[in-house]
Amino acid sequence: MVTVSLVFAAQDGISRHLAAEYNVFMVVMIRYWFFAAFVISVAARKAGGLRAAAQTQQPVVQGLRGLLLAAEICVMVTAFTILGLVESHAVFAAYPLLVAALSGPILGERVGWRRWAAIGVGFIGVLIILRPGLGVFDPAVVIPLASAIMFAIYGLLTRYVAREDSTATSFFWTGTVGAVGMTCVGIWFWEPMTGIDWVLMWALCLTGVLGHWLLIRTYEVAEASAVQPFAYFQMVFAALVGISVFGEVLEFNVIIGASIIVAAGLFTLWRERQKG
């Protein structure tokens, strides 16, 4: 899981560069083409092939999941280009808290007072990063927060469909529907790319495939609740990329706010595991 976080952080750094040079929709579209090819190749090699992977009684929800994730990636990559990796990931780290907060209205799960307290503390951390009312509030900081909300809803919809569909089916729909949706949008924003940027685009696609393959392997050998806390390493690695490659600055309020968010998120994950 730590390696997954490192690979995805590298992917975020490449995305930040390419999206600053070319249209975000085009960059995400090409990335999804390779993701879809990977998903289809994995499904074809499993028992039942593509027909079994695509079979679901919840096509509308599965389709919505795929489109929501594609849109979330576009929003987050946009945040990278405007705010940088450090601040974007610091705010995005609140998504486990959003999952806990929204699990009641979306899935009907009961959220106890301890987790609600952790959610409240976590959002104090978000406010410390946003700094509203201090004369330095940047409305762009809301972009990664919107991305976190979208990703949290995507995660809850994934839980919802998992009641009837296998992981392989959800994975197949995520890649294929996302690729179709991004092609319908991104093809209109095609721009010619330079040779070196094509190399980076290949690297972006390969890190995406490698990251998802490692994630699958991780969940094959360990429980999701056991390894999920290690996903916070992505924020650390992304911050290192942002500082060392793009010259970003790590503000004190971001350090304090992110620390509070991570602590609250880890407590929420721990409580969820205890309840499980």
Side-chain angles (χ1 to χ4, degrees):
M1 192 63 175
V2 174
T3 308
V4 169
S5 300
L6 178 60
V7 171
F8 281 151
Q11 179 179 252
D12 290 343
I14 300 171
S15 295
R16 185 195 191 289
H17 166 76
L18 291 175
E21 301 293 326
Y22 307 97
N23 187 274
V24 171
F25 295 134
M26 186 190 82
V27 172
V28 177
M29 175 185 68
I30 298 174
R31 172 176 161 180
Y32 254 100
W33 287 348
F34 280 78
F35 181 33
F38 172 66
V39 166
I40 291 170
S41 65
V42 169
R45 290 161 56 185
K46 291 188 175 292
L50 297 178
R51 182 184 295 272
Q55 189 169 7
T56 177
Q57 300 299 317
Q58 309 168 91
V60 175
V61 182
Q62 287 284 17
L64 179 61
R65 281 181 59 256
L67 294 175
L68 185 60
L69 181 62
E72 182 273 325
I73 292 173
C74 291
V75 173
M76 193 60 177
V77 173
T78 300
F80 293 159
T81 63
I82 297 174
L83 292 171
L85 297 173
V86 174
E87 201 161 356
S88 296
H89 271 285
V91 177
F92 185 79
Y95 88 83
L97 303 173
L98 291 163
V99 169
L102 296 172
S103 60
I106 293 180
L107 296 180
E109 296 178 358
R110 182 180 176 276
V111 180
W113 69 268
R114 292 179 181 86
R115 281 199 283 174
W116 274 119
I119 292 167
V121 170
F123 281 105
I124 290 174
V126 173
L127 290 174
I128 291 174
I129 296 173
L130 297 182
R131 297 185 294 191
L134 297 182
V136 290
F137 175 66
D138 185 355
V141 181
V142 176
I143 299 175
L145 183 59
S147 177
I149 294 171
M150 294 167 73
F151 192 71
I153 296 173
Y154 163 80
L156 291 169
L157 291 178
T158 300
R159 277 194 204 174
Y160 179 82
V161 297
R163 295 171 177 174
E164 296 184 21
D165 293 338
S166 66
T167 301
T169 296
S170 293
F171 193 53
F172 178 83
W173 278 78
T174 299
T176 54
V177 171
V180 171
M182 285 310 308
T183 301
C184 291
V185 176
I187 201 69
W188 303 102
F189 297 92
W190 185 270
E191 302 175 51
M193 298 178 64
T194 63
I196 186 63
D197 285 337
W198 271 116
V199 173
L200 290 173
M201 180 62 76
W202 275 99
L204 176 66
C205 296
L206 290 175
T207 52
V209 169
L210 176 62
H212 282 96
W213 181 80
L214 288 169
L215 193 60
I216 292 170
R217 292 292 298 145
T218 299
Y219 289 147
E220 285 178 353
V221 298
E223 293 181 5
S225 60
V227 297
Q228 188 61 37
F230 294 94
Y232 281 113
F233 274 100
Q234 184 175 348
M235 179 174 63
V236 177
F237 294 140
L240 291 174
V241 172
I243 293 168
S244 60
V245 178
F246 298 101
E248 297 178 16
V249 178
L250 188 58
E251 301 284 352
F252 182 70
N253 69 299
V254 174
I255 297 174
I256 298 299
S259 299
I260 293 172
I261 292 169
V262 170
L266 290 175
F267 177 81
T268 302
L269 291 168
W270 177 76
R271 282 298 300 171
E272 186 174 339
R273 192 177 183 189
Q274 292 293 105
K275 300 289 279 188

